[in-house]
Amino acid sequence: MSKRTLSNLLGKEKKNYEENVAKFRKLNENVNVEGNENFPNRLDDDDFPSTSRVALQNLEYDIDSGDDSVFFEDLDVEDVEVDSYSEDRDNNSENAFLLSTWAVRNNIPQNSVDDLLRTLKLMGVEGLPLSARSLLGTSRQNANIKLIPGGEFLYIGIQFYLWGAEFNVLENCEVVNIDIGIDGLKLFKSSNRCLWPILGYVVGSKLGPFTIACFSGMSKPGSVNDFLRDFCEEVRFLRKNGVKVGSNLVCKLFNIRLFSCDAPARAFVTGVKSHTAKNSCSKCTIEGVHTQRRVSFPKQVGDLRSDSSFKNRIDLSYHSLEFKQAESLLESFNFGMVSQFPLEPMHLVDLGVTKKLLQLLIKKGNVTKMNEKLLLLNRFVPSELSQLSRDLDQISNWNSTEFRQFLLYTGIFVLKDCINEDLYYHFLLLHAGIRFLSCEKSFNVESKVANELLKEFVDLFGKIYGDHLISYNVHGLLHLSDCVREFGPLDNFSAYKFKNYMQHLKKIINKPNKILQQMFFRISETLKISDSSKLSKNDLFIIDFNKDEDSYFQCNKGPIKIVELDKETNSFKALLISNLENYFIEPVESMSGLGICIGEILSNVVLISRSDISYKYFCINDRNKLILVPILHNLFRSFL
C-alpha cells in the first residue's frame, strides 16, 4: 500500500470518527438531573418506575385494590429508544459480544474502547461498531438524578435487578430474602467527594451484591429520611405484592433479612447516638464511662434492647436529638431497629478488636522475630487467601483481610514464642471464639462455648491492658454469639461482600464530574454481559499439586498432600500426613475442637477422588513439621 493510499484511508477514518463524536456529543450534551418519565423524582405508590432492562416486556401485577395501584407501567415500543446497532449485533454478535464482555469486566474506559475499535477497523476486522456506546449497548436514557440535602441521589431499585435468567434459581424459593449494606466510600484522595450506596444481596444466591441506590456528596446525606425514602417505598410495595424473579417473572414473597452496617452507618440510618457516646451499645443498655480521654465500657452485659423498647423510647438517651420523639422513616415502615441490625463482624472484629489487640501486642513482644515469621508465611498462603502479609511495621496500612487472616490462620504461628504465655493464651481465646462462630459446623452447637471464650477474653483484656481500653468494639464481642444464633456464621452477615463490591463502584468512576451518571451507565452495561461473569467464586476452591500451598486437604483417610493426577483413574495420588498432635491445648484442644493440628508427611501413596475431599488446609511448614489450619470456606463444613 502506497503512502498516499494509507494517508487517504487514515484521513477518511479520522473524518468518520469526528462525525461520530459530534453525533454522540449532541445526543448527550444535556444530562437531566430533574428526572424523566421512566425514573420519577419520587417513587409514589401509583407511579413506580419502569426500567430499561425490561422496557419492551408487558409486565402486570395482580394487585389488591388500594393505594399501590401501579408499580410497573407498560411502555410503548415507540417510547423506547433502541440502540441503532442492536439489530446488527443480533445478526453478527459473537465477536461484538465477546469484546463488550471483555471491556465491561476489565472496566476499560470508553475512549480506549473507541481507539481499539478504530484500530480493528483499520486492520480489516468487519462487523464491529465504531463507538464504545454502540458496542456496549450504553443506555440512551438519562439517569434520574435528584437533589436531596447534601448532594445528588440516584435510585435504581430492587426489582430492576432481579429480572434475568441468572435468578431462575429463586423460582424454587418461597421467600426472596435480601440483605442490605449501607456505608460511605471516599472516591478521591484529593477531594472529600464520597459515595453512600444502598446495596443489596440475595441471601443464598451465588451472585454478588447489586446497587439499589447511591448518594454522592461531600459528606454523608444531610437527611436520612430523604436518603431512604425511595427504598422504603419500594420495599413496602414488594412486601405487599411480591417480587418477580427470573426470566419467567415468577412472583415470590419478599423480605428484607438484615442491614449490614458499621457502627457510624448504623447510628446514622437508625437515628441513634454515635459509637463514641456512653449509651451507644446497640444491643444492651449498659452505660460507658469517660476515662483517660475515651469512652470505656463495663465487662458485663446490660438489659438487652428490643424492637419494642426501641420504638417506645425506653432508653431515651440512646436516640439522637432528631429522633427522640419522632420516628425515623425505617421505624415507620416496620423494620426491626434492633433485631435486623446485627453487629457487623468485619468492622467489629477485624478492623476493631484484632487491630487494637495486635497494636498492643507488638509493644510487648519480639517484633523482629514476628516479622521474620510473616515473611516466611508468604510462601504458604493458599490461593483462596490471596492477601500476602505485610510486616508489622506497616500495621497502620493493613486492610481488614490482613487482620482477618492473622486472627484466623497465621497469628497462632506468628505470636508463638514471641510473646509470653499469658498474652498468647489471651490471643487464643479470641482466635478460638471467632473460629467457632465462623465455621458452618460449629457456629450453632458451639455458640455457648464461643460466648464463654469471648467473655473470658473481654475480662482478661481489662486486667492485662487496662479497663479503660475496653472499647465499644471489645464490649460488642459479648453480643456476637447472639447475632450468630440469629443469622448464622459470621460471614453470613459480614460486610466483606459489600466492601468488595464498593471497590468495584469506585473503579467504574473515571472522572470527578457526573459521578452518578457514570455509575448508571456502567451498571446498565454490566447487566448486558454474560450471567456467568456475575457468579461469586466463594464456593470454589483450588487443587493444584504443582503449588505446594494448594495441595493440602482433608479426606476420608485423614490429612493428605496431593502430588499428582492419576490419568488412568482420574484420581489424585496423595501422601498421607500422620503423627498428628494438638498445636495448642488451651483454651480448647486445637485438633478435636478446631481441626488445627501438626503432623509429618508419610511416604505411603493413596488414591483419592475429588468427592473424598472435605476441606482444604492452610499448611505452614515449620522445621519439618506441618501446621495444618482448616480454611473456613463455604465448602468445608466438617472436621473428620
Side-chain angles (χ1 to χ4, degrees):
M1 180 182 295
S2 67
K3 290 184 179 180
R4 176 172 294 185
T5 303
L6 180 60
S7 177
N8 292 339
L9 180 61
L10 292 175
K12 183 178 180 180
E13 179 61 24
K14 181 179 179 181
K15 181 179 179 180
N16 291 337
Y17 169 64
E18 290 174 347
E19 289 175 354
N20 283 331
V21 169
K23 179 177 67 175
F24 287 124
R25 282 179 177 170
K26 183 177 180 180
L27 285 172
N28 297 282
E29 60 187 0
N30 294 318
V31 176
N32 181 10
V33 297
E34 295 298 326
N36 57 42
E37 61 182 6
N38 294 320
F39 288 89
N41 282 338
R42 187 177 182 276
L43 301 182
D44 296 321
D45 295 345
D46 58 352
D47 192 22
F48 267 70
S50 57
T51 66
S52 60
R53 191 174 185 184
V54 288
L56 299 180
Q57 296 183 21
N58 196 9
L59 303 180
E60 295 179 356
Y61 268 86
D62 295 327
I63 304 175
D64 297 335
S65 60
D67 294 336
D68 297 311
S69 57
V70 176
F71 186 86
F72 302 105
E73 298 176 355
D74 298 336
L75 286 183
D76 243 0
V77 175
E78 296 177 357
D79 294 335
V80 181
E81 186 172 351
V82 181
D83 185 351
S84 61
Y85 181 68
S86 60
E87 293 183 1
D88 294 336
R89 187 167 58 189
D90 288 338
N91 297 328
N92 188 13
S93 63
E94 184 175 356
N95 291 337
F97 182 74
L98 291 174
L99 188 58
S100 64
T101 300
W102 165 81
V104 170
R105 285 180 179 174
N106 294 279
N107 193 33
I108 307 299
Q110 288 205 351
N111 57 352
S112 298
V113 177
D114 286 338
D115 187 56
L116 175 62
L117 291 171
R118 294 195 305 272
T119 303
L120 292 174
K121 181 70 173 179
L122 290 173
M123 294 171 62
V125 178
E126 300 294 338
L128 293 176
L130 293 179
S131 76
R133 289 179 64 88
S134 294
L135 177 73
L136 303 176
T138 304
S139 175
R140 296 295 193 260
Q141 295 179 0
N142 288 330
N144 175 290
I145 297 171
K146 64 180 180 181
L147 299 179
I148 66 172
E152 297 178 335
F153 183 74
L154 167 69
Y155 193 79
I156 300 174
I158 299 172
Q159 177 66 93
F160 173 72
Y161 182 76
L162 297 180
W163 286 314
E166 65 268 32
F167 285 105
N168 285 346
V169 65
L170 298 179
E171 295 178 3
N172 299 322
C173 302
E174 291 186 6
V175 181
V176 175
N177 285 293
I178 303 289
D179 288 350
I180 302 298
I182 301 176
D183 200 0
L185 171 68
K186 188 175 179 181
L187 282 178
F188 310 108
K189 293 182 179 179
S190 59
S191 169
N192 290 328
R193 175 68 63 179
C194 62
L195 293 178
W196 273 75
I198 302 175
L199 306 178
Y201 171 76
V202 181
V203 178
S205 168
K206 294 183 180 181
L207 288 96
F210 58 96
T211 304
I212 298 172
C214 192
F215 168 87
S216 173
M218 303 307 290
S219 63
K220 68 181 180 182
S223 167
V224 64
N225 284 345
D226 288 334
F227 176 61
L228 293 173
R229 189 176 308 281
D230 292 346
F231 165 75
C232 288
E233 289 179 348
E234 185 180 8
V235 168
R236 178 176 65 178
F237 178 88
L238 296 178
R239 282 172 174 171
K240 179 179 179 181
N241 300 286
V243 62
K244 289 193 173 183
V245 299
S247 57
N248 298 318
L249 302 177
V250 178
C251 192
K252 295 292 181 179
L253 297 175
F254 176 82
N255 179 54
I256 298 293
R257 188 179 72 136
L258 60 84
F259 291 80
S260 179
C261 311
D262 64 3
R266 183 169 60 249
F268 170 65
V269 299
T270 57
V272 300
K273 295 286 184 66
S274 167
H275 66 288
T276 57
K278 293 191 296 183
N279 303 83
S280 58
C281 179
S282 63
K283 294 300 179 181
C284 74
T285 58
I286 201 74
E287 186 172 328
V289 295
H290 284 285
T291 177
Q292 299 190 32
R293 298 183 299 176
R294 69 189 75 211
V295 174
S296 60
F297 286 82
K299 300 176 183 178
Q300 65 272 9
V301 172
D303 295 333
L304 296 180
R305 300 188 190 278
S306 66
D307 294 337
S308 60
S309 68
F310 186 102
K311 189 175 186 65
N312 295 325
R313 302 298 191 266
I314 301 300
D315 182 11
L316 196 60
S317 59
Y318 175 58
H319 300 265
S320 63
L321 182 62
E322 181 182 358
F323 298 109
K324 283 187 181 293
Q325 303 299 329
E327 284 189 343
S328 68
L329 196 65
L330 284 181
E331 280 185 272
S332 64
F333 279 83
N334 297 320
F335 287 100
M337 304 302 285
V338 175
S339 61
Q340 290 187 270
F341 284 84
L343 298 173
E344 198 286 296
M346 184 186 83
H347 292 92
L348 181 82
V349 178
D350 302 330
L351 290 173
V353 178
T354 304
K355 181 177 182 178
K356 187 185 190 73
L357 179 63
L358 195 49
Q359 288 173 329
L360 293 169
L361 282 175
I362 59 180
K363 298 176 182 178
K364 297 176 178 290
N366 187 338
V367 179
T368 302
K369 189 174 180 180
M370 292 182 198
N371 285 335
E372 291 175 354
K373 287 187 173 183
L374 282 170
L375 182 63
L376 172 67
L377 283 171
N378 287 338
R379 295 160 40 196
F380 306 123
V381 178
S383 298
E384 289 78 10
L385 307 173
S386 58
Q387 181 69 57
L388 299 180
S389 300
R390 289 178 282 184
D391 60 49
L392 295 171
D393 298 328
Q394 303 181 61
I395 193 172
S396 60
N397 297 320
W398 279 24
N399 58 39
S400 57
T401 55
E402 289 175 280
F403 288 112
R404 184 177 191 269
Q405 185 170 300
F406 188 93
L407 174 62
L408 296 178
Y409 301 102
T410 61
I412 58 174
F413 169 71
V414 172
L415 295 178
K416 193 168 187 177
D417 301 326
C418 294
I419 55 177
N420 69 46
E421 292 184 1
D422 291 338
L423 296 178
Y424 187 64
Y425 172 82
H426 185 240
F427 173 82
L428 290 180
L429 287 170
L430 181 64
H431 167 82
I434 298 303
R435 279 193 75 92
F436 276 136
L437 297 181
S438 301
C439 179
E440 286 276 355
K441 176 187 176 183
S442 63
F443 80 89
N444 196 14
V445 295
E446 303 291 355
S447 61
K448 291 183 179 179
V449 175
N451 191 43
E452 292 302 317
L453 292 172
L454 295 178
K455 280 184 179 179
E456 186 178 357
F457 173 83
V458 174
D459 182 62
L460 290 178
F461 194 98
K463 294 178 180 179
I464 296 173
Y465 303 106
D467 289 342
H468 66 288
L469 292 178
I470 300 180
S471 62
Y472 172 92
N473 289 324
V474 175
H475 170 78
L477 293 175
L478 302 176
H479 299 289
L480 206 55
S481 295
D482 292 335
C483 297
V484 166
R485 281 191 285 268
E486 178 68 22
F487 296 108
L490 294 179
D491 279 350
N492 279 19
F493 55 96
S494 168
Y496 273 106
K497 54 183 173 287
F498 295 119
K499 174 196 171 189
N500 295 336
Y501 182 76
M502 287 175 71
Q503 294 306 310
H504 165 71
L505 291 182
K506 185 175 181 178
K507 289 179 181 178
I508 66 178
I509 306 301
N510 292 320
K511 55 185 179 181
N513 60 319
K514 299 182 179 180
I515 289 173
L516 296 184
Q517 290 91 329
Q518 294 179 65
M519 179 180 296
F520 175 77
F521 291 141
R522 300 296 85 77
I523 290 174
S524 66
E525 292 165 0
T526 302
L527 292 174
K528 293 179 173 63
I529 70 172
S530 173
D531 298 336
S532 62
S533 67
K534 305 173 189 177
L535 290 179
S536 167
K537 295 182 174 54
N538 289 338
D539 287 334
L540 306 176
F541 68 97
I542 296 173
I543 300 175
D544 188 349
F545 47 82
N546 293 316
K547 294 181 179 179
D548 188 69
E549 63 270 23
D550 287 325
S551 57
Y552 293 91
F553 295 87
Q554 175 75 21
C555 72
N556 53 4
K557 297 182 180 180
I560 56 170
K561 173 180 170 58
I562 296 177
V563 291
E564 63 177 301
L565 177 67
D566 188 328
K567 296 182 180 180
E568 293 183 2
T569 62
N570 200 29
S571 301
F572 295 108
K573 290 184 178 179
L575 302 176
L576 286 173
I577 299 174
S578 189
N579 299 329
L580 302 177
E581 301 175 358
N582 285 306
Y583 189 62
F584 51 82
I585 303 297
E586 294 181 323
V588 295
E589 290 190 355
S590 66
M591 186 161 60
S592 60
L594 301 171
I596 299 173
C597 57
I598 56 175
E600 299 174 342
I601 291 183
L602 297 181
S603 58
N604 303 40
V605 177
V606 294
L607 288 178
I608 299 295
S609 67
R610 187 180 293 269
S611 61
D612 293 330
I613 297 173
S614 54
Y615 56 88
K616 186 175 182 177
Y617 284 113
F618 187 137
C619 179
I620 303 169
N621 194 330
D622 180 37
R623 291 169 293 187
N624 297 323
K625 289 283 187 179
L626 302 178
I627 305 171
L628 302 172
V629 185
I631 295 177
L632 296 175
H633 196 272
N634 288 346
L635 286 180
F636 314 130
R637 300 183 179 179
S638 61
F639 299 136
L640 301 180

